[in-house]
Amino acid sequence: MALPVIDAPTFDLEVPGVKGVHKFRPFLVKENKILTLAVASEDSKEMYSACCQIIQNCYFGDLDIKDLAMYQMQWIFVKIRDKSIGSVQSFSLSCGQCGDIVNYDMDLNDFEVVGDVGVIQKKLEISEDVGIVLKQPSSKVQLLHEELSDTEILISCIDYIYNGEEIVKPEEENKEELIEFIDNMPVNLLNEAADFFSKMPSLQHTVEYKCAKCEADNKILINGYEHFFG
């Protein structure tokens, strides 16, 4: 006797900063195992990899998940988690004054995208005819930003370079030549790029509470994977 096929329900989701409506399913036992291992690792890179794998498994479409910005991936994960095991996540808060620990239950749907999701590109004009069009850094670049140089980050975020009517895609060019090209840019353009990156949208929630032990007022920004997993 053949075992029955279990059909998982699906749901539609609009992703901030991404066109169209995209179809997903809740995660299943196999994804829950991935989640459990990631939580046990307490490692941000493991959590990121687990998030990518779970979203990819649960997605019916042609988006390249690893090309999404961090806030977009986290938004999708929160919505899948809500449909799968609920939205309430429990974790601990530490008072900034006395260190007293309190338990906190949060509805992950209270997370908000902070920032302008409509600004997904930035043009850096080197001359009248030459310039660079930047795109938002992918979630992988954001995760590894402390390990990358400013030049490496900038190169990874180039959508294309234009020279008059000619369009140059960075993936088609030699890396050493790209580095030399970036090194010869005016410094003010690097500052413009840094400003663009600093204003990237993020998924976050602020908790404000008074410590029961020392009565200090606490304001804690929550925005990491350790708050989404559970």
Side-chain angles (χ1 to χ4, degrees), residues 95 98 100 102 209-218:
C95 175
C98 69
D100 188 53
V102 297
Y209 76 98
K210 182 182 290 290
C211 178
K213 184 176 181 180
C214 70
E215 297 188 345
D217 291 323
N218 285 271

Side-chain angles (χ1 to χ4, degrees), residues 22 56 59-65:
H22 300 271
Q56 194 68 66
Y59 177 51
F60 301 90
D62 56 4
L63 285 178
D64 189 335
I65 299 302

Side-chain angles (χ1 to χ4, degrees), residues 18-36:
V18 178
K19 293 181 179 179
V21 177
H22 300 271
K23 188 177 296 295
F24 296 86
R25 64 161 172 82
F27 60 71
L28 309 174
V29 171
K30 56 186 176 181
E31 284 85 36
N32 197 54
K33 290 180 180 178
I34 296 172
L35 188 61
T36 301

